[in-house]
């Protein structure tokens, strides 16, 4: 390909693009001035810099960039990569990245170490498994699959697609790893439920580089899901030693959540208080504390902390906060307070109740024995109640021996989520308590007819009663 003659003002315009690339209006002025001085837009040296600066803006003008790109007779690899990267990062639709990559492969430009990471990122965001596998094959043919950037992108792609074994194979084959590698594999394992594997990988002390906050958050999430308190405490010790806990809110939140899920309430309180001293607490921190206290039987304390939230850190509650508050009210039997907070959520904070909030309210009424009111509450919901709502009501009916409302819940459950063995057991036990043995037998026959088995250990009340 014949090299274009260098325009006498080309270097000056490239320097201008580098210095004044902070706004679209500046870039358009530079572009217009270059045209007036007869530097053609098709000049690849000007175009590559203009495209790069345009597409590096916070809200890149994609149509403008496409117009510039279309005027280039032979874009080089850098220019192709620039347009592919812009689309792979697009918040709305990354699919054009795949189309531009296909056009690149048909052109004279060759893929380089940056091309495949951008394309694989788009594949991961689109969940385009087959396309991503084809890109992997192409990277192998080009001899670029084993480069650090491409391997990291492959780990992220396969983990995002749920193919964790494929991600591990790429990881295990890598000779050189960086922090991105470790974060991709650890968080990929955690996000796909492979918590034990993530913890074991960390415990093997095979890190080539020091872990950062993203690594630690992933490990703490894995420990929380496993209930691995001792390993979580070891991670906590590393955080204290590295000073990371004093500077990273996400790490602190993950630690509060770990101790909450493991029932280590004293440790949870301590971490939360230390975060307050460092001014690191966020709404997520407060939510983890409130939900953790409520879920571990410290409901009144959860409500006390909720009352201190705005005063101490100037933070208003969000939807998750109110889930914890309503849950705490249900465990304390504070029905009136629960309704007050439910209304406060809507009126004061303009938070529209989600299904979780409605479920908490049904649980609140049900635990208090106000089963009829719980049914009326469900009937008045502005959204269609799901199976969790009806199952909560059925459980309350079983607790407070209300056969009539239980049958209403049963009918709804049979319509939207049939075949759940626990529903059969709860209603069967209620019928047995009421001495309605014909109904017990009918439920038993229906279970046998559907091939539904009761789990061992579920209540056998009606059997014992019949033998008496």
């Amino acid at each position: 390909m014949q090299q274009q003659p260098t325009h006498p003002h080309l270097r000056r315009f490239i320097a201008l693009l580098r210095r004044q690339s902070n706004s679209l209006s500046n870039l358009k002025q530079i572009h217009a001035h270059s045209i007036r001085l007869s530097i053609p837009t098709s000049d690849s040296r000007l175009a590559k810099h203009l495209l790069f600066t345009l597409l590096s803006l916070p809200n890149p003008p994609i149509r403008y960039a496409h117009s510039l790109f279309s005027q280039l007779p032979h874009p080089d690899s850098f220019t192709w990569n620039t347009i592919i990267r812009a689309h792979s990062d697009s918040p709305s639709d990354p699919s054009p990245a795949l189309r531009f990559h296909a056009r690149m492969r048909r052109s004279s430009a060759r893929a380089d170490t940056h091309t495949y990471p951008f394309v694989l990122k788009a594949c991961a965001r689109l969940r385009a498994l087959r396309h991503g596998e084809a890109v992997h094959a192409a990277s192998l043919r080009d001899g670029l699959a084993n480069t650090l950037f491409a391997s990291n992108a492959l780990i992220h792609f396969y983990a995002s697609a749920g193919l964790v074994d494929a991600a591990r194979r790429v990881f295990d084959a890598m000779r050189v790893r960086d922090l991105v590698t470790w974060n991709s594999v650890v968080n990929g394992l955690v996000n796909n439920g492979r918590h034990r594997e993530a913890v074991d990988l960390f415990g093997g002390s095979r890190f080539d580089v020091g872990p950062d906050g993203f690594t630690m958050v992933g490990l703490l999430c894995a420990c929380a899901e496993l209930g691995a308190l001792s390993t979580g405490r070891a991670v906590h010790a590393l955080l204290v030693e590295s000073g990371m806990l004093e500077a990273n809110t996400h790490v602190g939140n993950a630690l509060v959540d770990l101790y909450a899920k493991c029932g280590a309430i004293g440790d949870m309180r301590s971490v939360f208080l230390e975060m307050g001293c460092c001014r690191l607490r966020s709404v997520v921190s407060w939510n983890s504390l409130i939900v953790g206290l409520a879920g571990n039987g410290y409901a009144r304390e959860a409500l006390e902390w909720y009352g201190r939230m705005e005063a101490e850190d100037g933070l208003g509650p969000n939807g998750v906060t109110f889930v914890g508050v309503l849950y705490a009210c249900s465990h304390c039997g504070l029905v009136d307070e629960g309704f007050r907070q439910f209304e406060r959520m809507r009126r004061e904070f303009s938070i529209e109740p989600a299904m979780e909030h409605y479920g908490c309210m049904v649980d609140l009424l049900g635990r208090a024995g106000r089963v009829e009111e719980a049914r009326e509450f469900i009937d008045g919901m502005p959204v269609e109640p799901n199976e969790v709502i009806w199952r909560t009501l059925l459980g309350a009916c079983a607790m407070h021996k209300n056969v009539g409302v239980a049958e209403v819940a049963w009918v709804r459950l049979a319509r939207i989520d049939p075949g759940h063995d626990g529903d059969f057991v709860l209603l069967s036990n209620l019928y047995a308590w009421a001495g309605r043995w014909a109904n017990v037998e009918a439920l038993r026959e229906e279970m046998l007819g559907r091939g539904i088995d009761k789990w061992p250990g579920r209540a056998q009340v009606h059997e014992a009663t019949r033998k008496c």
Side-chain angles (χ1 to χ4, degrees):
M1 188 185 304
Q2 188 175 0
Q3 179 68 32
Q4 294 171 293
T6 301
H7 191 282
H9 297 292
L10 181 62
R11 291 179 183 274
R12 182 165 66 87
F13 277 101
I14 291 174
L16 277 173
L17 287 171
R18 290 173 176 169
R19 287 200 307 269
Q20 300 185 31
S21 58
N22 58 341
S23 73
L24 179 58
S25 61
N26 285 350
L27 295 177
K28 283 185 174 180
Q29 288 175 12
I30 294 169
H31 185 197
H33 192 39
S34 70
I35 293 172
R36 282 198 298 271
L37 290 177
S38 302
I39 304 176
T41 302
S42 59
D43 187 302
S44 61
R45 290 158 297 186
L46 175 67
K48 68 190 293 184
H49 290 283
L50 183 55
L51 270 172
F52 181 81
T53 49
L54 277 171
L55 294 173
S56 298
L57 292 171
N59 295 299
I62 294 295
R63 291 181 65 181
Y64 183 19
H66 281 190
S67 176
L68 289 173
F69 188 85
S70 67
Q71 297 179 52
L72 296 175
H74 302 290
D76 62 8
S77 298
F78 178 88
T79 309
W80 281 107
N81 289 345
T82 299
I83 199 82
I84 291 169
R85 173 184 60 83
H87 284 292
S88 70
D89 290 337
S90 168
S92 56
D93 180 19
S95 61
L98 308 186
R99 294 194 290 273
F100 274 101
H101 176 240
R103 287 173 56 189
M104 180 184 182
R105 291 194 65 81
R106 293 193 296 268
S107 75
S108 58
R110 296 290 302 273
D112 61 21
T113 54
H114 296 283
T115 309
Y116 288 111
F118 297 148
V119 181
L120 286 165
K121 180 179 181 179
C123 292
R125 292 186 58 207
L126 292 164
R127 299 290 191 269
L129 176 58
R130 294 289 173 259
H131 200 116
E133 290 176 330
V135 171
H136 187 182
S139 69
L140 287 167
R141 287 195 299 271
D142 290 342
L144 296 170
N146 294 324
T147 61
L148 179 63
F149 292 156
S151 294
N152 286 347
L154 283 166
I155 292 171
H156 174 69
F157 163 70
Y158 282 124
S160 298
L163 300 177
V164 188
D165 291 332
R168 276 304 303 265
R169 285 194 293 272
V170 174
F171 174 81
D172 292 336
M174 293 175 70
R175 294 181 179 179
V176 177
R177 304 180 183 118
D178 64 1
L179 190 55
V180 174
T181 315
W182 282 98
N183 287 342
S184 296
V185 73
V186 168
N187 287 291
L189 290 167
V190 171
N191 292 337
N192 284 280
R194 304 268 282 264
H195 305 109
R196 174 56 61 191
E197 196 172 341
V199 171
D200 289 345
L201 194 64
F202 175 75
S205 301
R206 295 169 50 196
F207 271 71
D208 307 289
V209 291
D212 68 354
F214 289 106
T215 324
M216 292 308 199
V217 168
L219 288 168
L220 289 168
C221 289
C223 292
E225 294 302 319
L226 292 169
L229 182 57
S230 59
T231 306
R233 283 189 168 133
V235 175
H236 187 177
L238 286 174
L239 291 169
V240 172
E241 183 181 340
S242 67
M244 203 180 299
L245 191 57
E246 298 176 3
N248 193 311
T249 297
H250 300 297
V251 169
N253 291 342
L255 201 52
V256 172
D257 184 63
L258 162 76
Y259 286 132
K261 288 180 177 174
C262 292
I265 301 302
D267 292 319
M268 181 188 72
R269 288 194 201 97
S270 297
V271 172
F272 181 81
L273 291 170
E274 288 169 13
M275 290 178 70
C277 295
C278 300
R279 300 188 180 276
L280 289 175
R281 292 195 303 227
S282 65
V283 174
V284 176
S285 318
W286 283 90
N287 291 347
S288 298
L289 177 77
I290 291 165
V291 174
L293 287 167
N296 282 281
Y298 296 84
R300 290 193 180 275
E301 186 181 347
L303 294 174
E304 290 171 8
W305 278 104
Y306 163 65
R308 296 162 59 178
M309 181 176 177
E310 190 168 1
E312 290 198 10
D313 285 346
L315 297 169
N318 62 13
V320 177
T321 316
F322 280 105
V323 169
V325 169
L326 296 174
Y327 186 57
C329 288
S330 72
H331 278 263
C332 293
L334 301 174
V335 176
D336 292 341
E337 178 64 14
F339 271 93
R340 190 179 77 83
Q341 293 297 339
F342 186 76
E343 289 303 315
R344 185 170 184 248
M345 174 180 71
R346 296 195 296 185
R347 292 179 181 174
E348 264 187 64
F349 298 99
S350 301
I351 299 171
E352 282 302 311
M355 199 65 73
E356 292 85 354
H357 301 109
Y358 289 116
C360 287
M361 295 304 292
V362 173
D363 184 58
L364 173 67
L365 290 166
R367 285 176 183 268
R370 295 159 66 166
V371 176
E372 295 285 353
E373 289 180 57
R375 177 192 168 183
E376 291 172 6
F377 180 85
I378 293 173
D379 290 340
M381 285 171 53
V383 294
E384 187 68 25
N386 64 9
E387 66 276 9
V388 176
I389 299 287
W390 290 113
R391 199 157 282 132
T392 301
L393 181 62
L394 180 59
C397 291
M399 183 188 303
H400 296 286
K401 306 296 185 287
N402 190 314
V403 178
V405 177
E407 289 178 325
V408 173
W410 166 263
V411 170
R412 299 300 182 92
L413 285 167
R415 185 185 308 157
I416 62 176
D417 187 26
H420 192 282
D421 66 307
D423 299 340
F424 281 90
V425 171
L426 285 173
L427 189 59
S428 177
N429 289 344
L430 260 178
Y431 282 147
W433 170 82
R436 292 170 55 173
W437 300 111
N439 295 112
V440 173
E441 287 300 330
L443 282 177
R444 178 190 293 276
E445 289 173 9
E446 187 176 350
M447 289 181 74
L448 291 172
R450 293 190 184 186
I452 300 169
D453 293 325
K454 285 184 297 187
W455 290 96
R458 292 276 173 92
Q460 306 285 334
V461 175
H462 61 281
E463 283 294 318
T465 307
R466 290 192 71 182
K467 288 177 181 175
C468 293

